[in-house]
């Protein structure tokens, strides 16, 4: 598996890899030949993802990592370099959900937590990984944003603000690091059928009724459908794309 595939010869760090979209990206990257560091604050979940990759014949290591802490982000990068010798791809996918509230009702601590993980986490991982990507001859950084980086929903100021900021962070990084052959893009999923969403809405039927209906297909995305776009952004197939947002939202924003 390592010798062929659209990501053959590449090593990738995927944050938030214990479940949902991050796990799907880890599995698809490994299927395409990448060595994968499955990083998550949930170390046991990261181990399960790395185990699933290995079971499918791929190469992965788990890394317990809190992306909001500089030392932890740096350690994840060092672990990746030790295991694979280089880093070509970084996927900043880790995020937290702090609950629905307007700015008036939102706890200040919840705002700080959301910014620390959803936005500062992408900064810290990039800060430590980009020099390694440049040293490897270039590569791809992908920040996972959201359709809610573009439009708002009630009670989501912390989410919309952090996701919108990731799009501008990607553009600014693209400008700074094009000379180092580092492409930086965002991937904006629409509603996706993850364990988190199923639990949040109280079952598949309810999440499909409430979130699926906002897409033109009347369903949520499968995590794998989002992972396919991540493979494209990570691979050389997207070699002329940088500073862009790839929207995979089932037409959520089309009407
Ligand atoms: N699921 C959706 O409908 C949807 C839609 C648009 C965008 N997104 C975005 O896609 C990404 C993945 O979403 P998901 O639904 O798979 O989420 P998820 O909650 O299933 O996964 C997020 C992962 O991040 C990890 N994490 C949380 N804090 C961390 C930290 N400090 N350090 C390291 N890891 C940490 C969690 O343990 C979890 O495994 C997120 O950025 C999310 O905002 C999701």
């Amino acid at each position: 598996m390592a010798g062929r595939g659209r990501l053959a010869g590449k090593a990738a760090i995927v944050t938030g890899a214990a479940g949902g979209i991050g796990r799907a990206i880890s599995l698809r990257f490994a299927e395409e030949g990448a060595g994968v560091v499955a990083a998550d604050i949930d170390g046991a979940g990261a181990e399960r993802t790395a185990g699933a990759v290995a079971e499918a014949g791929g190469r992965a290591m788990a890394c317990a990592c809190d992306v909001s802490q500089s030392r932890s982000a740096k350690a994840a990068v060092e672990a990746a370099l030790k295991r694979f010798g280089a880093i070509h791809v970084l996927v900043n996918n880790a995020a937290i959900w702090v609950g629905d509230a307007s700015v008036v009702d939102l706890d200040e601590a919840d705002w700080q937590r959301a910014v620390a993980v959803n936005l500062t986490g992408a900064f810290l991982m990039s800060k430590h990984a980009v020099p390694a990507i440049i040293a490897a001859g270039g590569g791809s950084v992908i920040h996972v944003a959201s359709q809610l980086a573009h439009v708002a929903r009630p009670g989501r100021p912390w989410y919309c603000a952090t996701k919108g900021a990731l799009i501008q962070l990607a553009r600014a990084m693209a400008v700074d690091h094009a000379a180092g052959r580092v492409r930086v893009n965002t991937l904006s999923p629409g509603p996706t059928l993850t364990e988190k969403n199923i639990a949040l809405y109280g079952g598949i039927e309810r999440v499909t009724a409430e979130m699926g209906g906002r897409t033109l297909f009347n369903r949520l995305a499968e995590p794998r459908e989002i992972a396919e776009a991540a493979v494209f952004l990570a691979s050389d197939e997207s070699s002329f794309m940088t500073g862009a947002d790839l929207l995979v939202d089932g037409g959520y924003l089309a009407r």
Side-chain angles (χ1 to χ4, degrees):
M1 195 180 267
R4 55 202 166 82
R6 292 152 70 194
L7 301 177
K10 296 189 194 294
I13 301 176
V14 181
T15 71
I21 292 169
R23 183 177 57 209
I25 291 174
S26 301
L27 287 163
R28 278 297 290 128
F29 277 16
E31 281 173 10
E32 293 294 346
V36 176
V37 177
D40 204 291
I41 197 165
D42 172 4
E47 291 284 357
R48 283 194 294 277
T49 296
V53 167
E55 219 167 275
R59 294 174 303 144
M61 67 168 279
C63 179
C65 162
D66 180 349
V67 297
S68 70
Q69 301 299 317
S70 186
R71 205 179 290 179
S72 188
K74 187 165 185 254
V77 169
E78 286 168 356
L81 285 171
K82 192 167 174 207
R83 171 72 166 80
F84 294 114
I87 300 168
H88 307 91
V89 178
L90 168 65
V91 183
N92 287 312
N93 167 78
I96 55 165
W97 188 259
V98 302
D100 287 352
S102 73
V103 294
V104 175
D105 300 322
L106 187 65
D107 278 349
E108 290 176 34
D110 282 344
W111 171 268
Q112 300 291 0
R113 277 195 316 129
V115 172
V117 178
N118 299 8
L119 181 57
T120 306
F123 156 66
L124 290 172
M125 288 301 302
S126 301
K127 178 176 179 59
H128 296 301
V130 165
I133 297 174
I134 292 170
S140 171
V141 177
I142 304 163
H143 304 318
V144 178
S146 169
Q147 90 280 13
L148 295 184
H150 299 270
V151 293
R153 296 271 308 141
R156 309 276 166 83
W158 54 273
Y159 190 77
C160 296
T162 55
K163 293 300 181 176
L166 286 175
I167 290 182
Q168 274 297 76
L169 177 64
R171 291 189 184 119
M173 286 176 59
V175 168
D176 283 340
H177 300 296
R181 300 171 61 88
V182 183
R183 298 184 297 107
V184 188
N185 296 286
T186 44
L187 166 56
S188 285
T192 305
L193 198 58
T194 57
E195 302 91 331
K196 182 203 69 186
N197 276 337
I198 294 168
L200 204 63
Y201 285 82
I204 290 186
E205 269 178 30
R206 284 175 71 171
V207 75
T208 302
E210 289 195 34
M211 288 178 83
R214 299 182 194 283
T215 75
L216 299 183
F217 301 132
N218 284 315
R219 67 173 178 87
L220 289 85
E222 293 294 335
R224 191 181 173 95
E225 294 178 293
I226 307 303
E228 295 299 346
V231 169
F232 170 68
L233 287 177
S235 78
D236 298 338
E237 292 159 21
S238 59
S239 53
F240 204 55
M241 265 183 87
T242 196
D245 181 50
L246 182 54
L247 186 64
V248 186
D249 73 341
Y252 186 109
L253 295 186
R255 66 176 167 203

